[in-house]
Amino acid sequence: MTPDILSEDNPFIIKESRLSIAYEKPFTLQGGAVALCERGHATLVINGTPYEFSPGSEANIFTGMTLYIPEHSDDFKTLLFYCSQDMLEMAQWKFESFFFNDLSSHPVHKHSKETGNATRACFTMIEACYSEDNRYKRIIVTNLLRNLLLSAYDKIQRNVNEPKKEQTKTRKEELYDKFIEKVAKHCIHHHDVEYYAGRLDISPRYLGTITREIDGQSPKDIIDTYIVQEIKILLSFSDMTLQQIADQLRFPDQSYLGRYFKRLAGKSPLEYRKGGLSM
C-alpha cells in the first residue's frame, strides 16, 4: 500500500496484503484502495473512526484519508486493489460530488454472500488483467474499478439507515455547486470564465471569490481540470486523432491542444496515450 509500488507504466496493483503499513502509525493514502477481508479480523481506524473488519467486509479508502490498524488477528489477510490517483479520477469521472462524500463517510461495509460473490468476480477479472499482456488493460481495469465503486455505493444506500441531515447551503455554496455542474456539462465547448459567470448571472470577479473561498482554486483552474480530464478520457478510451480531439473540444488546432495539455498534464498527448495503452 505504499506509493512507490506504483509507476507511470503500472498504475495499479492487486495482491494479498495484511495492510501492515498501518500497524504502527496512521498511513495517509495517495490514490485509491479497495480491500476485501479474506480471513481473520482487524480494527480499521479510518479518519479516526474505528470499524470492525472481518471476512466479507470491504473497505474503500481514497486520497487524503488515513488508515490505522491498532488491533488484528495473527491470520488477518486481505485482497487489496490499489491504484494511482489518475486511475481513480478516471473511474469516478462525472460522478456527483455526494457520491464520494458518502463513500468517504461510510468507508467499510459488510457483504452478503451474493454481493460478496459479485465483488470478488470483479477482483478476479482485475487479477487476470494484472498478469495479462493486454494493451487495453488500463481501460479495462478503470471500468472494473468504476463497477466496484458503484457497487459499494449501492450497499451504502441499502445498509445505512441513518436519516440524511438537511444541510442549508449558503448562497455562495449554491453558486459554487451550480458552477461545477455547468463546467462538467459544458467544458467541452466553453473554456472561458465569462461564459459560466454569465450563466450564473454574476461577475467573473465574484465567481473567483466564491471558488477561492470554497476550494482554493480560481474558476479557470477548475475549468482547466475538467478539460484536461476530458482530453485524458478521449486519449485513453478512443482512437480519435489529436486534430479530431482538438476539433471536438473547440481548440484552434492540435498544436494548441498539445501545448495546453503538456503545460497542465506534464506530458504531451501522444506520451499520455502511449502510457495509457502500454503497461
Side-chain angles (χ1 to χ4, degrees), residues 49-65:
T49 301
Y51 300 89
E52 291 304 312
F53 202 60
S54 57
S57 296
E58 176 184 333
N60 294 275
I61 311 171
F62 310 116
T63 298
M65 297 173 67

Side-chain angles (χ1 to χ4, degrees), residues 72-107:
H72 60 88
S73 63
D74 291 339
D75 61 344
F76 175 60
K77 186 185 75 170
T78 72
L79 183 58
L80 173 70
F81 171 81
Y82 176 54
C83 71
S84 67
Q85 178 66 18
D86 191 59
M87 177 173 278
L88 178 65
E89 289 176 356
M90 282 282 197
Q92 58 87 36
W93 183 237
K94 291 196 174 178
F95 282 166
E96 297 289 349
S97 59
F98 60 75
F99 180 94
F100 264 83
N101 289 339
D102 283 355
L103 279 180
S104 299
S105 298
H106 304 91

Side-chain angles (χ1 to χ4, degrees), residues 10 22 35 69 92 135 151 158 172 174 182 226 230 240 247 256 267 277:
N10 192 48
I69 303 178
Q92 58 87 36
R135 70 192 299 256
S151 178
R158 292 175 185 273
K172 287 182 178 180
E174 290 177 351
K182 292 183 185 303
Y226 274 77
E230 291 286 354
M240 294 172 67
D247 291 342
Y256 188 98
K267 61 181 69 175
L277 294 180

Side-chain angles (χ1 to χ4, degrees), residues 24-37:
E24 295 183 0
K25 62 181 181 179
F27 172 74
T28 302
L29 194 75
Q30 298 297 322
V34 182
L36 285 177
C37 185

